[in-house]
Amino acid sequence: MFRILLADDEGIMLESLRTIIESNFKGTVEIQCVKSGRAAIELAETFRPDIVFMDIQMPGINGIHAMQEIRKFHTSVHFIVISAYDKFAYAQEAINLGVLEYLTKPVNRKVVIDVLVRAMQKVEEERRKRSESLKIQEKLETVIPVIESGFIYNLLLQEERNRETGNYRQLLDIREEYGFMMVVQFGESITEGVLTNAVGMSVKAQSFYSQFREIIRGFFYCCIGPVMSNKIALFVPWEQEGLTYDERIQIIEKSRNMVRRLEKDIDAKFKVGIGGVKPFEELQDSYKEASRALTESKGRVAHVEDLPIGCGYVGDYPADTEKKLFQMVLRGDTDGARQQADLFFEWMLQNYPDCQADIQIKVLEFVMRAEREAFLNGGMTYEFRYRKDYLEQVTGCSSYEGLRAWFLQKITEVCKNITSKQEEQTEGIVTRVKQYIKSNFQKDISLDGVSEMVNISPYYFSKVFKEEAGENFIEYLTKVRMENAKEYLKNPELSVKEICAMSGYGDPNYFSRVFKKYIGVTPSEYRERLG
């Protein structure tokens, strides 16, 4: 059955077309008729025609515009244009819209039948292709889970997996060179971060596995492994080595939303552990990190890079003080870092007063570690002989107080280096943007566009700009535009409309409202005051 829509404002033409089609294609067509472009658009949304005969000249929306609108939501429709006007512009536009045939009125019976047969053949061919595509997709939906399960097993369990991994990657069209593992764990309930009834849920998982895959696919482009006890491993391809902080936050937030969706649609509780980005040969390590994130966190979603340092300590070693110290160092918080460094030094004196060499080694270790963090984060520039006197300075301290002073001094220097570098970068970014605005204020400038130019997220750029400039981005841009508009208004040869465009605005009325808001009077009133 073919659905055919006839659109023409002439009733005689509609009846003539209907009669020709019904008499020659009886029992194989369903026909609907309309007399305007608007009616054709509205009916096409519900009728979903295979073929449309469209007149060009109709009241209101003409045939060309109607076809453009229909094409937006119904891309597979075939248009046949019938027009009393043999105009090149119309014919050219019809060709651009992929019209099957452009016919000039009056059209005889044979022409209508011939073009309709060709249109029906095209519809049939497209239906056949869609059917074959669906059959292939149906088969793939059965095969792909098996291939993905084999791929996950290959990554995690096989010792010599390089060749097989390459085969799996080819089958699954994985072109990225890196990736990370996620482990989704499920249970009947959750108590203090621990999921219950692992055995029972591993059996139940067989019934919701297909639904689980569908939900996961809505959040991540990934390969989904088989049910292993009450866990399912996921592999997420990644284009580059490592994650930025923002990327990690986005993955965590997406995982949190995924857990909410899983628990909404599936009668179970879920947790997610996320490993670090690794090359393929190290994905076993990423899986171990994801599993560790699950076990060491009581939260519903945990990323391995958010976990505390995985190290065991003997006695009352102040691990929290150590952690806070390096957090403060990375933030460039001089006072905070000095306070934590002093607390740690005091702990060493109280617990190991007779172990001078050990205290010296620890001080040297912390200073070098702090400097390494500064090197890696761009706060300092590395030079091989940078520390050539450190060993002599540490061993040469005649008292613990002298060693403490040296320790605090070095931590202070690292913090100041990081802070000055951050301030330098921030000042450089804001200065660059201000200069860009002053040179391009007449153009279409947006926060998103400028943020992309300096390679910073809009949210962070907005925060940095306001902290440095003392006003937000839009306020500064508007101020620059208004100051230039005031200068333009001094030139009597320029109209307000021209000044509007020269100041970066497209709407004179909006320009006048903004000008009055910031200056207190309209542009015309301001010019009158200038005399």
Side-chain angles (χ1 to χ4, degrees):
M1 183 68 70
F2 297 92
R3 292 184 299 276
I4 300 175
L5 174 61
L6 307 178
D8 197 303
D9 61 336
E10 296 179 13
I12 295 175
M13 188 65 188
L14 286 177
E15 285 303 317
S16 177
L17 284 173
R18 178 192 282 274
T19 301
I20 293 171
I21 295 170
E22 287 181 341
S23 62
N24 285 272
F25 301 94
K26 189 174 182 180
T28 63
V29 295
E30 181 183 352
I31 302 174
Q32 294 284 342
C33 300
V34 293
K35 292 186 176 183
S36 70
R38 176 182 175 182
I41 296 167
E42 292 173 345
L43 182 57
E45 286 189 295
T46 55
F47 183 52
R48 306 295 290 183
D50 300 304
I51 302 164
V52 176
F53 282 82
M54 182 74 73
D55 184 22
I56 293 294
Q57 293 293 337
M58 289 187 292
I61 299 174
N62 67 34
I64 293 292
H65 292 156
M67 289 189 292
Q68 290 173 337
E69 290 302 311
I70 293 171
R71 184 70 79 190
K72 289 179 183 179
F73 60 81
H74 190 13
T75 57
S76 62
V77 65
H78 293 278
F79 291 112
I80 299 167
V81 169
I82 299 179
S83 176
Y85 300 90
D86 187 13
K87 293 185 178 179
F88 175 78
Y90 285 147
Q92 185 66 38
E93 188 64 33
I95 291 170
N96 293 337
L97 285 167
V99 168
L100 180 66
E101 192 69 59
Y102 188 97
L103 307 177
T104 304
K105 295 178 181 179
V107 181
N108 65 45
R109 183 187 192 91
K110 185 177 183 306
V111 171
V112 172
I113 293 172
D114 287 346
V115 73
L116 192 52
V117 167
R118 285 197 291 116
M120 288 176 171
Q121 288 173 346
K122 284 185 172 293
V123 172
E124 285 284 13
E125 179 65 16
E126 289 173 358
R127 287 176 178 175
R128 185 186 63 78
K129 289 180 179 179
R130 279 199 297 271
S131 177
E132 290 177 355
S133 177
L134 288 172
K135 288 177 182 178
I136 293 171
Q137 186 177 342
E138 188 177 37
K139 290 178 180 178
L140 286 175
E141 288 300 320
T142 303
V143 174
I144 285 178
V146 177
I147 298 175
E148 290 186 358
S149 293
F151 177 57
I152 297 294
Y153 272 128
N154 183 262
L155 289 176
L156 304 182
L157 305 177
Q158 299 300 317
E159 294 182 1
E160 297 183 8
R161 60 187 183 278
N162 290 336
R163 186 182 66 183
E164 288 302 318
T165 297
N167 291 337
Y168 278 116
R169 289 177 64 184
Q170 187 173 4
L171 284 170
L172 296 168
D173 195 28
I174 299 172
R175 302 178 185 182
E176 294 83 354
E177 295 299 323
Y178 302 92
F180 61 89
M181 300 299 296
M182 300 174 65
V183 178
V184 181
Q185 187 179 28
F186 40 89
E188 196 170 77
S189 62
I190 186 166
T191 305
E192 295 183 355
V194 178
L195 292 162
T196 63
N197 193 12
V199 176
M201 289 306 297
S202 66
V203 175
K204 185 178 179 180
Q206 305 303 324
S207 64
F208 65 67
Y209 182 69
S210 295
Q211 187 179 12
F212 173 92
R213 287 180 60 87
E214 184 177 348
I215 293 171
I216 298 297
R217 294 278 193 206
F219 291 87
F220 289 98
Y221 163 63
C222 64
C223 293
I224 303 169
V227 177
M228 298 182 289
S229 182
N230 68 329
K231 297 177 182 177
I232 296 176
L234 316 178
F235 165 71
V236 182
W238 202 252
E239 291 185 351
Q240 68 277 343
E241 187 173 8
L243 291 173
T244 64
Y245 175 79
D246 287 340
E247 287 170 340
R248 188 166 91 242
I249 297 305
Q250 288 173 6
I251 290 169
I252 292 170
E253 188 59 31
K254 194 182 292 186
S255 299
R256 287 167 58 85
N257 291 333
M258 183 178 74
V259 167
R260 294 188 189 102
R261 176 64 186 277
L262 286 167
E263 293 185 349
K264 177 178 179 291
D265 292 356
I266 298 174
D267 184 22
K269 297 297 181 183
F270 293 83
K271 289 183 64 177
V272 177
I274 308 167
V277 172
K278 310 283 184 186
F280 275 81
E281 60 271 17
E282 296 176 18
L283 284 172
Q284 282 185 340
D285 294 335
S286 183
Y287 176 79
K288 291 175 183 176
E289 291 173 349
S291 298
R292 175 185 158 205
L294 270 178
T295 57
E296 294 190 13
S297 172
K298 292 184 178 180
R300 307 300 291 277
V301 175
H303 195 290
V304 66
E305 293 181 23
D306 289 335
L307 297 178
I309 298 169
C311 177
Y313 297 99
V314 176
D316 62 343
Y317 183 88
D320 287 342
T321 302
E322 177 180 331
K323 181 180 177 181
K324 289 178 182 177
L325 167 59
F326 291 101
Q327 287 175 341
M328 301 294 183
V329 167
L330 281 174
R331 289 203 293 262
D333 184 346
T334 302
D335 293 338
R338 283 179 61 91
Q339 181 183 18
Q340 298 303 317
D342 194 56
L343 286 173
F344 194 93
F345 195 92
E346 192 62 35
W347 176 84
M348 291 192 293
L349 290 186
Q350 291 179 5
N351 289 272
Y352 302 97
D354 299 325
C355 303
Q356 182 178 358
D358 297 290
I359 293 175
Q360 290 173 338
I361 290 172
K362 197 64 180 178
V363 165
L364 193 58
E365 173 198 329
F366 272 25
V367 170
M368 294 176 71
R369 181 176 159 192
E371 289 178 345
R372 182 175 183 275
E373 294 291 347
F375 293 144
L376 293 176
N377 288 277
M380 296 174 66
T381 302
Y382 180 79
E383 204 277 317
F384 183 74
R385 302 203 68 220
Y386 181 84
R387 305 175 175 120
K388 64 181 184 296
D389 299 322
Y390 279 20
L391 189 59
E392 181 181 344
Q393 291 173 359
V394 169
T395 57
C397 290
S398 57
S399 66
Y400 279 139
E401 288 309 308
L403 182 61
R404 186 202 299 263
W406 185 86
F407 181 31
L408 298 180
Q409 176 194 343
K410 291 299 178 185
I411 293 296
T412 300
E413 289 174 1
V414 171
C415 290
K416 288 184 176 179
N417 280 329
I418 289 176
T419 302
S420 62
K421 190 69 174 180
Q422 290 173 343
E423 291 174 350
E424 178 183 327
Q425 291 173 341
T426 299
E427 290 172 359
I429 289 169
V430 174
T431 300
R432 180 182 167 193
V433 171
K434 283 184 173 181
Q435 186 58 50
Y436 176 82
I437 290 173
K438 288 179 180 178
S439 302
N440 299 275
F441 64 88
Q442 71 279 7
K443 297 180 181 178
D444 183 16
I445 299 176
S446 67
L447 176 63
D448 288 347
V450 172
S451 300
E452 184 176 0
M453 181 185 76
V454 295
N455 197 28
I456 295 177
S457 70
Y459 171 78
Y460 184 71
F461 168 72
S462 181
K463 180 174 179 291
V464 166
F465 189 94
K466 186 168 185 178
E467 288 176 351
E468 180 63 28
E471 56 190 333
N472 67 39
F473 171 82
I474 295 299
E475 289 172 344
Y476 182 82
L477 172 62
T478 304
K479 182 177 72 176
V480 171
R481 285 173 166 171
M482 292 300 103
E483 290 302 317
N484 280 276
K486 285 163 62 177
E487 289 299 312
Y488 293 145
L489 286 166
K490 294 177 181 178
N491 184 348
E493 295 181 6
L494 293 174
S495 68
V496 172
K497 187 175 181 180
E498 289 173 322
I499 293 171
C500 165
M502 293 169 66
S503 302
Y505 295 95
D507 183 350
N509 292 328
Y510 179 71
F511 167 65
S512 294
R513 289 199 301 272
V514 174
F515 190 95
K516 185 173 183 179
K517 178 181 177 182
Y518 279 83
I519 309 302
V521 293
T522 65
S524 299
E525 291 170 343
Y526 183 83
R527 173 170 273 173
E528 289 174 2
R529 290 185 180 184
L530 292 174

